[in-house]
Amino acid sequence: MTLFALGVAAMVIGQSSVIPPVMSKRAISPPAHLPGKSIDLYGDGKYTLFIPDSWQPVDRPAITVHFHGAAWFAIEEHLRRGLKEPLLGIYLGEGSSVYQKPFEDPERWPVLLSHVIAELGGKSISRVDMTSFSAGYGAVRELLKQPGPIAIIHRLVLADSMYASFTSDGDHTPLSAQINPYVEFAKLAIEGKKEFVVTCSQVTTETYANSAACAEELVKKLGGRLMLADPTLPPTRGKDFPLLSRFDSVGFHVWAYGGTDAMAHMTHPRHIADIWRALDEKRS
């Protein structure tokens, strides 16, 4: 075991100061009004920049970026968590490859940010908070291979949004090459330089590794292991999708919830606001 892994093992769970949210079923619908201005960056409805009415222009603005899902929902959920800065909602379609392929080009990210800055009237982006649901991980995984995005992304939440190919037909562990991009960011979070939250359901997938298997493999690569969640905590008693196990080390958190149906998957993005609140309450 490496010295880093030994350090992780020493810090991992007893009781973390972060209390994960309860994953309850939550109905959503498009709001009649959103308090801000929405800008279609490329005119194709895939990149929506939302500027809250309360936001005041600055030279180096911070922004939030969300991958996968209707723009109205990403906006509403981040407003629910107390969003004050602009939000870029990216919805490229279905399947991880539609997110992966554009961001394989290392110029895609800086060009995208330049369009955002042009609309905001600033000089550069100071930092990015990032969230992803489901197939959106295809973009996140590519970005975490690149030094530019890693430097600017401050907080990252993967809401049931980490999948990988199987190692082989006979070995159904997640392919290491597709888990490794998350490892360096997780190490930075463990060092207190970033915040990184991974939530997963137990929804099974037949031809590739599901989010639970990928989360477990990531923790294993860091020299840790998921531990049974404290049964006295509210999320473990959630009637819909209870918290089953977790791993916490400084700014890195993996929270594994129950549930094997479609709603178990869809519930995670509907609690992104609550995940942010859990992090904010820890810091306060």
Side-chain angles (χ1 to χ4, degrees), residues 168-184:
S168 67
D169 289 342
D171 182 353
H172 284 189
T173 59
L175 185 65
S176 284
Q178 295 181 355
I179 300 298
N180 287 340
Y182 305 102
V183 171
E184 291 307 312

Side-chain angles (χ1 to χ4, degrees), residues 21 45-46 99 109 115 121 139 154 194 204 221 241 243 246 270:
K46 296 181 178 180
Y99 290 92
W109 176 251
H115 284 285
H154 177 64
K194 308 284 187 180
T204 58
K221 283 180 175 290
F241 311 111
L243 181 69
R246 60 188 297 190
R270 301 182 189 196

